[in-house]
Amino acid sequence: MADENDKSGLARRMQLRQAAQNLEKAQSQTKKRQKDYADVLINHLRDNGQIICVTEDMALSGQIKEIISETLKMPASCASFSAKADLAGKAIRSAVTAGRTPLVIIEQFLGGRDLTFVVRTLKNTFPEIKLIMIAQEIDKNRFVLLHESGVDSMLVKPADGAAILEKIARTIKPDDQAERALDMARVLLNKGELENALRVCTQEIARSGNSAASLMLAGDIFKAMREWDKAADAYNRASGGSSLFLEPLRKLSELYAEKGDMARQLEYLEKMDELSPLNLERKILIGELALKLKRGDKARKIFDQVMKLSARRANEGIASVAYRVADIYTDTDPDMAASFLQRGLE
């Protein structure tokens, strides 16, 4: 009995020691990652980068200022701050014209206004910018639509300085080693060297784990090899590991479209529609496939949704144009700018 207790006590001490070592290792890795994130942002700012922050949240502005001055030891001029969304376009245009590369951090709601479609217009007008949207909670349908439209990342408040720094760094620069490996695999895939492409891709999967990007690329390679089942398995695994799920689901719908399997294609398009119900073109395709598959009731229902969404999209398009015109008038005729802004809000 004593021997068993000794063995149990020894096992427990070993577990505790291992746990302590793991914690120490994790803390060390965290410090290293924070330094790496800081270096990414420092290099970005030194290479004509700029942060444009559009928020009424003084605490968030203070956190970003502290990151720049205290953590990065960079001059305050590297960032600009505004509590007015209507000045964002002007600030971005000014930065781009001066040869700078802006990273825009902007609230989803500002002054009682939902900036979702203003943000999409900014990204479409200035595709070179990196854009992070801030919210206190995520409206998943809206965020997924923004992600498809080009918003690079989402920051959920409240967040501490370390989390903000990580979010900015990962938006500016994803994992370099992973990107290099996957870029090499993509080049090999485009050249038709499928076995070499698969080897590079699977080596990266073994190094960094089952990331959605590497699994989707493996699926592309298997699809090129006409290994349909393996391609579908890779896409499905990517879908399980992705927070948004959309890209692997799109790959699966394309896979079954190429195979001529309309039923499976429709299945994955409908899954995408559940996650992102605001995509008009996808809804039309769903209705078209439903008709071809003799599912008239489903087709009618989806086309009714298409018409309602079209009417809504028209109003949002008018608002977007009004915001852009208001921005153009800002310098020369503030009253006219206010007039167009009001028309957009209405």
Side-chain angles (χ1 to χ4, degrees), residues 4-22:
E4 290 180 4
N5 289 336
D6 288 343
K7 289 180 181 178
S8 176
L10 177 60
R12 181 177 178 79
R13 288 194 297 274
M14 291 179 65
Q15 289 174 341
L16 290 172
R17 187 180 302 115
Q18 183 64 52
Q21 290 173 349
N22 289 341

Side-chain angles (χ1 to χ4, degrees), residues 108-109 114-121 133 142 145-146:
Q108 182 179 10
F109 293 96
D114 183 350
L115 300 187
T116 296
F117 291 95
V118 174
V119 162
R120 183 165 63 177
T121 300
M133 177 169 267
R142 181 69 67 187
L145 178 66
L146 282 166

